[in-house]
Amino acid sequence: MNDALRDRLGTGKYLLLTSYRKNGTPVATPVWVVRDGDALGVWTVADSWKVKRIRARGGVLVGPCDVRGNPTGDQVPATAEICDQATTDRYRRLLARKYGVLGRLTLLGSRLRRGRDGTVGIRITL
C-alpha cells in the first residue's frame, strides 16, 4: 500500500504539506513533489517558515491537492527532514525533468534571486 500511495503522491502535480507551529496549529502549503526512491522530495526557500517548523518538529501530514492547496484526497502522516546540498541539487534536477519549461524557469529565477544556497530540499517518508 505504501508503494502505491508514494507513487500516487509522487506523480501528482502538487502535494499538500502540513507542518505544525510550536503551539500545534497546522499550516498547510501546496508544493511541487517528486518521487525519491522510497520517499518523496519537495523543494522550497531555505528560510521559509515551513522549513523552520520542520526543523522543530519533523512530523507532518501529506496528501494530494490542487494548485491552491485544496485537498483532492486524504492526508497521511509522514516524517519530513531537511536535505543536504547534494540531495537538494538532485531534487532540482528531478523537478526540472518533471515540470518541464515551467520548472526550469522557476528554478532559474530562484537561483538568480536567492543563489544556490537559498533553497533546500525536504525529504518526506510515509
Side-chain angles (χ1 to χ4, degrees), residues 2-12 32-42 90-91 94-95 97-99 123-124 126:
N2 264 355
D3 272 346
L5 180 59
R6 262 193 306 269
D7 284 341
R8 192 165 50 87
L9 293 175
T11 57
W32 281 351
V33 60
V34 293
R35 178 78 190 258
D36 177 29
D38 63 348
L40 301 171
V42 302
R90 188 171 79 248
Y91 287 175
L94 292 170
L95 286 162
R97 187 179 317 143
K98 179 176 178 178
Y99 292 94
R123 186 172 196 271
I124 298 167
L126 302 180

Side-chain angles (χ1 to χ4, degrees), residues 4 8 16 19 37 39 41 46 48 52 56 66 70 75 78 102 108-109 123:
R8 192 165 50 87
L16 190 62
S19 55
S48 68
K52 293 172 184 169
D66 65 16
N70 298 313
Q75 292 222 310
L102 178 60
L108 174 63
R123 186 172 196 271

Side-chain angles (χ1 to χ4, degrees), residues 60-75:
V60 296
L61 289 176
V62 295
C65 71
D66 65 16
V67 65
R68 287 187 162 64
N70 298 313
T72 58
D74 292 335
Q75 292 222 310

